[in-house]
Amino acid sequence: MCGIVGAFWKNRPHDAERLLGDALDCLKLRGPNDRGAEFESSGSGALAFGHTRLSVIDLSDAGHQPMRSADGRYAIIFNGEIYNYRELRAELQSGGEEFVSASDTEVLLRAWIVWGEACLPRLDGMFAFAVHDRQTNRLTCCRDAFGIKPFFYVAEDDAFLFGSTHPAMVALRGAPPRPNWQRCYDYLVHGDYDSNDETFIADVRHLPPAHLIEFDMGSCSVTRLAKWWSPSFVQRGEHSLASATEAVREAFLGSIRRQLRSDVQIGAALSGGIDSSAVVCAMRRVEPMAEINTFSYIASGTPLNEEKWVDLVNSHVDARPHKIEANEEDLLRDLDDLLIAQGEPFGSTSIYAQYCVFRLAREKGVTVTLDGQGADEMLAGYSGYPGYRLLSLLETSGVGAAHRFAREWASWPSRSYRLGLMELGRVALPDGLYAAARKRIGRDFQPDWLDIEAFEAHGVHFQEARPPRSKAARGRRVAEQLTKSLQERGLPALLRHADRNSMRFSVESRVPFLTIELAELLLALPEEYLISPTGESKSVFRAAMRGIVPDAILDRRDKVGFATPEQQWLTAIAPQLRATLSRDAELVPLLKAARLVAAFDAVIEGRQPFSWQVWRWFNFARWYVTTGVQA
């Protein structure tokens, strides 16, 4: 796991070495074990490659980057891990390729040389990398199928810049960042972020999941932006439930087995829910004698406390447990560090619980953790995507079938028949009716604490981006939405949180659910295998884990995860938050500070219902000020 940064300048700046050095300084926590930088000049301009390394596989100097091919034609910088590197290495060796290291970086470089971009779907891993081909004078940058590893870029008339973090990009550009007004609006009003290729900083873009971008240095232009893999919602195969259960079990255990490959100590993040418990129990299944360290956030004294489930799993696999608790005073102390680590605004204080877990792993000397992230978006978790499932049933089986499902689904905790119908409305209502319904319940698309005229001047669209529905997905609305959750709104934000939190403490976070093999298997199954007729979410996976995970975990009917008592915390520290918000909001030209503080007071004093909006107000204003954004 590493940090990468690079630039092509048509006219090399006089301080190029300083700019690259400053950018690499921003990546030191992503790669504390090694650092490399190279410049190469040609008639078309100057190319800079920089890399910081967190050593995980092949700890020797042979894994140093930038890495060049033996003939000098290709150079690569790579952030991530290729878990099936041993299998790929053996295949390449059988074709005559020779290796000088045991690193997965060299395997990736040789795979690119031999197979080109056709190697990408064959990679089981998480990655963001750039390859320079001297012969074609071309730079190719690629990102993994789910966007687990970050890749930001800026394409200008006379330069192409890229890197692993926002601060590195800002340092490389050598100029204060400017806000992306549309993304700021989307976050503040709709809680939407990391759902497309735009970031909170103007001109800085994400390379989307499963994409590559080609840059021609001769013409100083992007010549291609292409998607190399797309998940499909089409039902395929004739799996019985029994055969599907077996296939899911084998695919998941295979992923766990490959992701346990490491030359440093491995642990697991354990919340006590089905997903993280399955990861820990599967680790024991494939490595019966291994030492397993687990790391858990405990919300003692609150309804969110998962400790009894954490203890059950640890006892079941004979793990060495490590637990951490936190309160509002801890949050207040760590707030700025958390915000700086994330780089952009985010959704809720639950991200702080994850931050604490990764800090604990680092304190205990563990460099790699396995995590259950992505299971919900592959298996229709959370509350079971009820709106989409109801729409599928209406399109295929009629009102009666939808009514029967809604009634069964409503029998689970924290659900109701009315809530199911509301979810259906959220999915199926036309945009105009949806906006009217939102306003009726107090969620105005143009709140008075925003400077609406300023947003209008910057061309902002005052609407919520709702995913379109395809006619081809009739009867497959859950599967269709899962494909969007995996690569658009949903999982990308969660992966960003985990990547930034783990890298803050130089920990590599692996996500064994997120493989192309498992995604293609699950998304091709009948929807009732994912959400049973009784409303059970992750149904086929629960069945697949029988005999591996304790039944008490698999039979859970609630979902908590690393959640924090947000309302309790924010209310307790409201005076401190209000003081900071009052000061910071005055410095943010996008906001009307007095009205924003009045809205904050109304919520804290109980005159308005509590919502995540409180956190978004504070998070956004603090981010804007601490990162030096200038409108």
Side-chain angles (χ1 to χ4, degrees), residues 111-112 115-121 140 142 212 214 224 226-228:
W112 184 266
W115 298 318
E117 66 186 70
C119 76
L120 296 174
T140 306
C142 307
L212 63 82
E214 290 183 351
R224 186 173 172 230
K227 193 169 189 179
W228 57 265

Side-chain angles (χ1 to χ4, degrees), residues 481-502:
Q481 182 58 27
L482 293 180
T483 65
K484 298 180 185 300
S485 296
L486 283 171
Q487 293 186 326
E488 298 173 26
R489 185 171 183 176
L491 183 61
L494 301 178
L495 293 174
R496 185 256 276 194
H497 304 153
D499 174 79
R500 309 308 189 272
N501 278 336
S502 61

